[in-house]
Amino acid sequence: MNIHVRREQEQDHHIVEAVTRAAFSYPERIERGGIGCPYEHWMVHELRRRDGIPDLSLVAEIDEPLTQGSQSGCDDRIVGHIICSKAEVRTANGVIPVLNFGPLSVLPAYQRKGIGKALINNMIHKATELGYGAILFFGRPEYYPQFGFKEASTWQITDSNGYAYPAFMGMELIPGYLPCAKGGKYYESDIYDDELNRDKVLAFEADQAVRDSGIWTE
């Protein structure tokens, strides 16, 4: 199986949202969200409208037909997606722009096959080419150090509440970019706030159900 990573195109939007929804439809996420579905497919949809970076919205395709049942209603060969968004570190001396990334999505049938790694490596390479200074995000500390991520406490940066912990990680894309962020607090888009967006996700899910039924009218 060969994996090809490219920039997301407009015609990919629906399939990417379907991939993302499938990737996050596991029991723990459904329970945590409290509305019967994940939030991440809405996040991707909304990030295209605000805070997301189109040049860093990437899809992973494979060169073979998808496994039967891996993605209901779709015959595309997109099996994964990653997107970056605008974030910042606020210090006493000013604001330092950084990248956040996520959701990172891979269809359940294609997880642990190198697709997530391909998306992350391509994202880091592309973000570096585009001149971004650093990435900060929340993720699994047992997984992401293999790509070069370190605890954000390395640069004495905390989350917006003033805490530092292993799941809060970062990477400099420009060497020496983050020391000036010492003592700063990290802020990401409010798109990632479940409490704030619960009703919006429910409305989006209802609209999607109507669209998929074939009776939607603009």
Side-chain angles (χ1 to χ4, degrees):
M1 179 180 72
N2 294 316
I3 304 166
H4 172 61
V5 177
R6 61 168 174 81
R7 178 176 168 172
E8 181 191 38
Q9 303 298 316
E10 185 175 355
Q11 61 266 27
D12 302 324
H13 287 184
H14 183 74
I15 181 72
V16 164
E17 289 165 20
V19 167
T20 304
R21 192 185 194 287
F24 285 90
S25 290
Y26 51 89
E28 295 85 354
R29 178 53 172 136
I30 301 300
E31 182 178 355
R32 186 170 77 250
I35 60 173
C37 73
Y39 289 52
E40 281 74 10
H41 58 309
W42 172 84
M43 291 175 185
V44 169
H45 179 86
E46 192 69 6
L47 283 167
R48 298 191 191 105
R49 191 174 69 85
R50 61 183 177 94
D51 297 331
I53 300 170
D55 284 338
L56 293 172
S57 181
L58 308 175
V59 298
E61 296 176 312
I62 59 172
D63 60 352
E64 60 187 46
L66 295 190
T67 301
Q68 186 176 5
S70 65
Q71 189 177 320
S72 177
C74 300
D75 59 3
D76 203 288
R77 296 188 181 188
I78 293 175
V79 294
H81 175 255
I82 192 170
I83 187 168
C84 290
S85 57
K86 300 171 185 175
E88 60 189 31
V89 179
R90 301 175 190 172
T91 74
N93 298 317
V95 173
I96 300 158
V98 296
L99 291 175
N100 175 49
F101 81 83
L104 166 64
S105 309
V106 178
L107 281 176
Y110 291 89
Q111 292 173 5
R112 297 179 178 84
K113 298 180 184 293
I115 292 164
K117 290 181 179 180
L119 284 164
I120 294 167
N121 284 324
N122 275 269
M123 178 272 291
I124 292 170
H125 177 73
K126 184 65 174 177
T128 302
E129 279 190 335
L130 292 171
Y132 289 98
I135 302 168
L136 290 167
F137 77 109
F138 303 99
R140 288 165 33 215
E142 71 277 11
Y143 179 74
Y144 287 100
Q146 65 183 299
F147 302 102
F149 288 101
K150 304 175 183 178
E151 290 187 31
S153 59
T154 301
W155 301 279
Q156 297 183 44
I157 301 168
T158 69
D159 68 10
S160 60
N161 294 311
Y163 298 109
Y165 35 84
F168 179 35
M169 291 173 280
M171 171 191 289
E172 288 185 321
L173 302 178
I174 298 175
Y177 186 83
L178 286 177
C180 62
K182 179 180 178 180
K185 293 183 177 181
Y186 171 72
Y187 291 83
E188 61 183 357
S189 171
D190 64 15
I191 285 171
Y192 300 101
D193 186 330
D194 281 7
E195 290 294 325
L196 180 66
N197 295 307
R198 180 169 287 113
D199 290 344
K200 295 176 183 176
V201 179
L202 280 169
F204 178 73
E205 187 78 353
D207 283 350
Q208 288 297 101
V210 173
R211 287 177 186 271
D212 291 345
S213 74
I215 60 174
W216 178 270
T217 57
E218 297 290 349

